[in-house]
Amino acid sequence: YITFFPLLLGGQFGAGPATIGLIMSSLSVTTGITSTRAGWLVARFSRRNLIITGFLLYSASMVVIPLVNALPFFLVATVLYGLAQGINLPMVQIHLNEIVPDHYRAAFMSVNGLLIRLGQTVGPLLMLWVEHRWSIEAVFIAGAALGLTGAMLVAFTIRKS
């Protein structure tokens, strides 16, 4: 979905490279700041609820992005996306690290990294097909649906602690 941010920014808003770069960097900055607070967050809230919240924030940002009509609102949606990533990336990694037996951990982390990279490679190609077949808005609606699916999977598979 991030691949389509510049397309939407340039196409719908006529944003130039500097504006696109600033908005895109806000995502990384927000993700970085939020993920550094993972320990603080998990000390106050359950990891399960944080992961669900991350997926819901992700879905909310995906729904809002194609609907906004001004760059400041796009920036807000991008920051929401960054918050979601900053919450989910460390929380999911911590959870996976705890459920995998020690003797499989290195192999599991390697496979996990491979799957993340595979998603970053194949995901834009699949979403390009969605955009070509339907619209750029459909790409973000598909992202919202995947986020909601993630939230439901976590809600039904990770026990409350």
Side-chain angles (χ1 to χ4, degrees), residues 10-160:
Q12 183 172 327
F13 297 103
T19 301
I20 293 171
L22 286 171
I23 290 174
M24 294 300 293
S25 68
S26 72
L27 190 150
S28 298
V29 169
T30 305
T31 299
I33 291 169
T34 306
S35 65
T36 63
R37 305 305 301 156
W40 182 87
L41 288 168
V42 82
R44 284 156 183 79
F45 308 101
S46 77
R47 190 172 40 237
R48 176 185 179 270
N49 289 344
L50 286 169
I51 294 170
I52 291 169
T53 299
F55 278 123
L56 293 176
L57 284 173
Y58 173 76
S59 293
S61 72
M62 292 291 102
V63 167
V64 169
I65 284 173
L67 301 176
V68 298
N69 57 6
L71 283 174
F73 297 124
F74 196 101
L75 177 63
V76 169
T78 304
V79 168
L80 275 178
Y81 188 97
L83 285 170
Q85 280 193 323
I87 292 169
N88 271 4
L89 291 174
M91 294 304 136
V92 169
Q93 292 295 319
I94 291 167
H95 181 72
L96 294 175
N97 193 43
E98 286 182 358
I99 63 172
V100 173
D102 287 345
H103 59 282
Y104 289 121
R105 191 159 294 142
F108 182 80
M109 296 308 282
S110 296
V111 170
N112 183 50
L114 170 71
L115 291 174
I116 289 171
R117 298 299 171 256
L118 185 61
Q120 291 172 336
T121 304
V122 175
L125 297 173
L126 290 174
M127 291 303 112
L128 184 61
W129 177 78
V130 169
E131 191 267 341
H132 185 318
R133 174 120 173 131
W134 290 285
S135 68
I136 196 163
E137 292 82 7
V139 169
F140 294 100
I141 299 306
L146 287 172
L148 289 174
T149 302
M152 288 189 296
L153 283 171
V154 170
F156 292 120
T157 60
I158 297 178
R159 283 182 262 131
K160 292 179 182 180

